[in-house]
Amino acid sequence: MRKNSIKNTRVNTEVQKELSNIIRAGIKDPRVAPWTSVVAVTVAPDLKTCKAYISVLGDEKAQQDTVKGLKSAEGYIRRELARNLNMRNTPEITFVLDQSIEYGVNMSKKINDVTRDLKMDGEEDAE
């Protein structure tokens, strides 16, 4: 796998910012959850395709509905992206549900539970 060039990294960052703005302010679809964030964006070096990793705060149904809503609004999002960014090609966007934040929160909760249990066991042994 190729390492990202400085240009590609810059393009990824700009596309991520614009996608966040478009999703937050421009999409009126009720299926798209209000707490939707763009976690990361990877644009291909030829600027033809793009994967947008999104995170949705909510249950499984809200996440699936948000992905469906974004896929149906893909044309609008791509047009707005072309209008806001001056790029040779406007990438075709693929939305991928990213659950790394949810995974991190669950891991933190489990670690806190284990440390609390260990502290409680230590206090009982001291008595």
Side-chain angles (χ1 to χ4, degrees), residues 21 24 95:
N21 290 337
R24 185 171 18 91
F95 293 101

Side-chain angles (χ1 to χ4, degrees), residues 20-113:
S20 295
N21 290 337
I22 292 167
I23 290 172
R24 185 171 18 91
I27 296 184
K28 306 281 192 263
D29 193 338
R31 293 178 290 182
V32 178
W35 295 103
T36 301
S37 60
V38 180
V39 178
V41 171
T42 55
V43 179
D46 64 353
L47 303 178
K48 300 248 188 221
T49 60
C50 165
K51 280 189 180 179
Y53 298 92
I54 60 165
S55 176
V56 180
L57 187 64
D59 60 348
E60 186 74 27
K61 184 180 181 333
Q63 293 174 352
Q64 297 304 321
D65 287 347
T66 299
V67 170
K68 287 178 186 173
L70 289 174
K71 284 183 181 178
S72 70
E74 184 179 343
Y76 170 76
I77 293 170
R78 191 171 178 198
R79 185 176 67 241
E80 288 296 311
L81 199 62
R83 203 161 49 110
N84 296 337
L85 294 178
N86 186 16
M87 294 171 54
R88 187 178 324 131
N89 297 319
T90 304
E92 187 175 323
I93 305 166
T94 304
F95 293 101
V96 179
L97 191 61
D98 182 41
Q99 297 178 334
S100 61
I101 295 173
E102 185 178 336
Y103 178 76
V105 169
N106 287 336
M107 279 294 137
S108 295
K109 186 186 286 186
K110 288 178 182 178
I111 290 170
N112 288 339
D113 290 345

